[in-house]
């Protein structure tokens, strides 16, 4: 599959693409609104960051207990149910007078739901597209994520500034409902990829099986940790510039879009495979500029340039797909998604804690330095070596109880950055 035209001519790709667009737009609008609401109430960079990226922290629980459902639930019903759950919980967050502990309880539930939804969505994408079309299809989803974030943060910023954060939350709830309707009306009914009921033991066994390969472990760590620390930088946009946070988020989304277009469409495979580590370094280094407390225009340029580095995830995902058995694609992609979003939540919490003790600008610089250090460590450990082109782990039979693992792996998700799925 070599062109975007072929992608959109593939049955069911367009409905999945449009419903995912609505879901991501909803997450950007509601995330910015909730962070602003919490910051106005508490003036705490830590609580503001955790409220925006808190659902990501709960992904680790979903990865531990729920991920076997990624391949064992009917995709259409699971995706529609995920979006409806987000619609209801986001509308609940818009209620006036909701206590802060209740806000974070709702955020926790959203994270648990998202951990399952990511695996179902990306597993379905591998069914709709041939394996050789996955990278192009995923790059289109990432580009769409960038566009939706630009639009979502722009619209959300206007609604927050002119009207109120609560109206932005209600707008997000409506968009989630639209996403659920798009899934229900646009996708056909498909059986689960694997027979049997979802179970905690099945989740643990498959996680362990996926984690067993050292090259894949390095790839997953590269997908999770540098990305998560840089999202920690992004989580401080609201306390750094409360009136212009939407602008900074939009600039970051624009940079991510440019990186995905370049990596997913313009670079040859031979060039792409060499860029994983350089792109991860680009992702973090521009944030050192924040030590000088730049003006909003200069800060916007810095975050746009940095966000081009999110294209590194496409390089790593392409290599992961080459070593992942097809029947584990949903679980593997969901585990990557859950791990990545968990680290984004951890990064946001760490960045908020550093900013609480110092300042938002210093918090960004510290997280960027940590991201660079991890990237260099992974490169030294052998991240740059090409992965084998065939699955390194034995393929388990399609049964409710996968065989006893050797020790586990992981794989790929949405957006390679903030969109809480």
């Amino acid at each position: 599959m070599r062109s975007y035209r072929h992608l959109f001519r593939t049955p069911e790709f367009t409905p999945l693409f449009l419903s995912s667009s609505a879901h991501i737009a909803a997450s950007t609008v509601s995330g910015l609104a909730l962070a602003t609401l919490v910051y106005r109430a508490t003036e705490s960079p830590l609580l503001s960051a955790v409220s925006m990226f808190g659902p990501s922290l709960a992904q680790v629980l979903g990865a531990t207990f729920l991920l076997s459902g990624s391949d064992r639930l009917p995709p259409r019903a699971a995706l529609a149910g995920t979006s409806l759950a987000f619609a209801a919980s986001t509308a609940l967050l818009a209620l006036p007078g909701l206590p802060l502990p209740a806000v974070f309880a709702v955020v926790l539930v959203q994270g648990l739901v998202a951990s399952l939804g990511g695996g179902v969505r990306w597993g379905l994408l591998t069914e709709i597209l041939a394996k050789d079309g996955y990278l192009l299809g995923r790059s289109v989803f990432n580009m769409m994520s960038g566009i939706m974030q630009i639009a979502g943060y722009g619209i959300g910023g206007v609604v927050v500034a002119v009207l109120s954060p609560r109206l932005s939350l209600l707008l997000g709830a409506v968009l989630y409902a639209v996403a659920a309707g798009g899934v229900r009306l646009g996708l056909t009914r498909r059986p689960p990829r694997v027979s049997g009921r979802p179970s905690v033991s099945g989740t643990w066994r498959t996680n362990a099986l996926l984690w067993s390969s050292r090259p894949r472990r390095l790839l997953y760590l590269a997908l999770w940790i540098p990305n998560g620390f840089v999202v920690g930088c992004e989580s401080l946009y609201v306390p750094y510039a409360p009136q212009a946070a939407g602008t900074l988020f939009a600039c970051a989304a624009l940079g991510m879009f440019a990186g995905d277009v370049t990596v997913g469409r313009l670079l040859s495979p031979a060039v792409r495979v060499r860029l994983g580590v350089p792109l991860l370094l680009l992702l973090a280094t521009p944030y050192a500029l924040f030590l000088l407390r730049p003006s909003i225009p200069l800060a916007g340029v810095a975050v746009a340039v940095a966000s081009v580095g999110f294209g590194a995830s496409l390089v790593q995902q392409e290599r992961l797909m080459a070593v992942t058995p097809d029947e584990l694609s949903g679980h593997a992609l969901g585990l990557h998604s859950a791990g990545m979003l968990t680290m984004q939540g951890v990064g946001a919490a760490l960045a908020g804690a550093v900013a609480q003790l110092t300042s938002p600008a210093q918090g960004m610089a510290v997280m960027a330095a940590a991201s660079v250090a991890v990237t260099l460590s992974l490169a030294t450990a052998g991240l740059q070596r090409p992965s084998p082109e065939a699955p390194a782990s034995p393929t388990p039979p399609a049964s409710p109880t996968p065989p006893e693992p050797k020790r586990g792996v992981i794989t790929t998700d949405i957006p390679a950055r903030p969109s809480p799925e």
Side-chain angles (χ1 to χ4, degrees):
M1 188 169 292
R2 297 180 177 272
S3 72
Y4 297 137
R5 183 180 304 163
H6 286 107
L7 283 177
F8 286 97
R9 286 178 177 173
T10 302
E12 296 190 87
F13 179 84
T14 299
L16 181 63
F17 177 85
L18 293 177
S19 63
S20 297
S21 300
H23 190 99
I24 292 169
S27 71
T28 57
V29 168
S30 56
L32 178 60
L34 184 61
T36 303
L37 200 63
V38 171
Y39 187 68
R40 288 180 181 178
T42 65
E43 296 187 353
S44 168
L46 174 59
L47 293 179
S48 173
V50 172
S51 68
M52 187 168 192
F53 294 97
S56 302
L57 284 169
Q59 295 271 339
V60 67
L61 297 176
T64 303
F65 299 110
L66 302 177
L67 269 186
S68 64
S70 297
D71 294 304
R72 299 179 185 186
L73 293 173
R76 185 178 70 175
L79 288 177
T82 296
S83 291
L84 285 175
F86 267 90
S89 58
T90 302
L92 181 61
L93 289 171
L95 291 176
L98 191 67
L100 203 59
V103 168
F104 286 107
V106 173
V107 164
L108 174 65
V109 172
Q110 287 183 331
L112 290 172
V113 173
S115 66
L116 180 60
V120 174
R121 178 173 282 105
W122 305 126
L124 178 59
L125 183 63
T126 64
E127 285 191 62
I128 292 173
L129 301 178
K131 202 164 190 176
D132 64 354
Y134 176 81
L135 177 69
L136 185 62
R138 188 55 185 271
S139 73
V140 170
F141 271 80
N142 285 1
M143 287 186 279
M144 170 271 291
S145 175
I147 292 172
M148 289 298 103
Q149 288 179 34
I150 292 169
Y153 286 129
I155 294 170
V158 170
V159 175
V160 166
V162 175
L163 299 175
S164 75
R166 297 190 192 283
L167 286 177
S168 286
L169 286 168
L170 290 175
L171 175 60
V174 170
L175 288 171
Y176 281 127
V178 169
V183 166
R184 183 64 181 82
L185 298 176
L187 298 180
T188 59
R189 184 176 181 181
R190 291 171 180 260
R193 283 178 292 277
V194 176
S195 61
R197 290 184 299 177
S199 68
V200 174
S201 61
T203 298
W204 289 353
R205 288 193 185 98
T206 306
N207 285 350
L209 175 63
L210 288 171
W211 189 247
S212 59
S213 161
R214 183 176 183 273
R216 284 183 292 191
R217 285 197 297 272
L218 291 174
L219 286 167
Y220 289 123
L221 292 173
L223 280 161
W224 294 347
I225 302 177
N227 176 303
F229 286 165
V230 170
V231 170
C233 299
E234 294 183 339
S235 73
L236 297 177
Y237 291 169
V238 171
Y240 181 81
Q243 303 306 315
T247 299
L248 293 179
F249 277 116
C251 289
L254 179 62
M256 188 178 73
F257 174 83
D260 288 329
V261 170
T262 301
V263 174
R265 190 73 180 98
L266 302 181
L267 299 181
S268 67
V271 173
R272 206 161 48 222
V273 73
R274 299 189 186 98
L275 292 182
V277 169
L279 284 169
L280 285 177
L281 294 174
L282 175 63
L283 183 60
T285 50
Y287 281 96
L289 180 66
F290 279 83
L291 282 174
L292 303 177
R293 300 181 183 273
S295 63
I296 296 305
L298 186 56
V301 171
V303 301
V305 171
S307 296
V308 172
F310 280 117
S313 70
L314 289 176
V315 179
Q316 295 149 3
Q317 287 179 53
E318 184 175 35
R319 293 165 66 186
L320 278 171
M321 289 304 295
V323 296
T324 301
D326 290 344
E327 60 270 34
L328 295 183
S329 60
H331 190 119
L333 293 170
L335 187 52
H336 157 63
S337 173
M340 184 187 72
L341 292 173
T342 295
M343 281 308 305
Q344 290 180 359
V346 169
L350 289 175
V354 173
Q356 195 88 20
L357 297 173
T358 57
S359 70
Q362 288 176 296
M364 290 184 197
V366 168
M367 299 306 294
S371 180
V372 169
V374 170
T375 296
L376 294 176
S377 298
L378 291 171
T380 302
L383 179 62
Q384 286 283 56
R385 292 178 202 155
S387 299
E389 292 301 319
S393 299
T395 302
S399 67
T401 307
E404 200 62 34
K406 296 181 177 175
R407 229 177 206 118
V409 185
I410 295 177
T411 33
T412 81
D413 173 290
I414 162 190
R417 91 78 73 132
S419 352
E421 265 274 349

